[in-house]
Amino acid sequence: MNSFNRTLLAAGAVLILGSVAAQARPSLYTMSCSQAQAFVQKQGSVVANTGPMTYERFVSDGKYCDRSQRAVSAYVKTRDNGQCRIDYRCAGRPRDTNGR
């Protein structure tokens, strides 16, 4: 096999693996609100699709956030609820008045 064919084969493998990884993300918008809530609770921390072309990371507890972040309430559109509260997402901490 020449180097061109190997390069082409490698590029194809990367494309296939990339599409498999994208498909592996759960889609919260296709779940019921209770299913989405239970899923995030069970996983603890999960990156999930929030729409056909969007995704976000959700956590069940602030312990999954970086030290520079805090847990804030997260709401997503699910199959049966336009504003389903599914625990939290991590957000940057606000700076204090001294700029820290």
Side-chain angles (χ1 to χ4, degrees):
M1 184 181 292
N2 65 32
S3 64
F4 176 76
N5 286 342
R6 276 187 244 151
T7 302
L8 191 59
L9 182 62
V14 167
L15 288 174
I16 290 170
L17 291 175
S19 67
V20 168
Q23 292 173 358
R25 258 194 318 261
S27 297
L28 299 180
Y29 66 97
T30 63
M31 297 180 189
S32 70
C33 184
S34 61
Q35 288 172 325
Q37 290 168 332
F39 183 76
V40 173
Q41 271 295 311
K42 181 180 178 187
Q43 298 299 313
S45 173
V46 63
V47 175
N49 290 329
T50 55
M53 302 293 283
T54 58
Y55 62 92
E56 193 169 344
R57 180 173 178 253
F58 300 99
V59 296
S60 62
D61 188 296
K63 71 182 179 188
Y64 294 101
C65 298
D66 290 340
R67 295 176 91 177
S68 64
Q69 298 178 316
R70 61 189 173 94
V72 296
S73 295
Y75 296 85
V76 296
K77 181 178 180 180
T78 59
R79 186 178 69 228
D80 62 343
N81 186 334
Q83 287 289 308
C84 175
R85 183 175 186 279
I86 56 159
D87 290 329
Y88 307 98
R89 62 181 177 78
C90 298
R93 292 189 185 275
R95 293 178 176 229
D96 67 20
T97 57
N98 296 323
R100 291 180 281 188

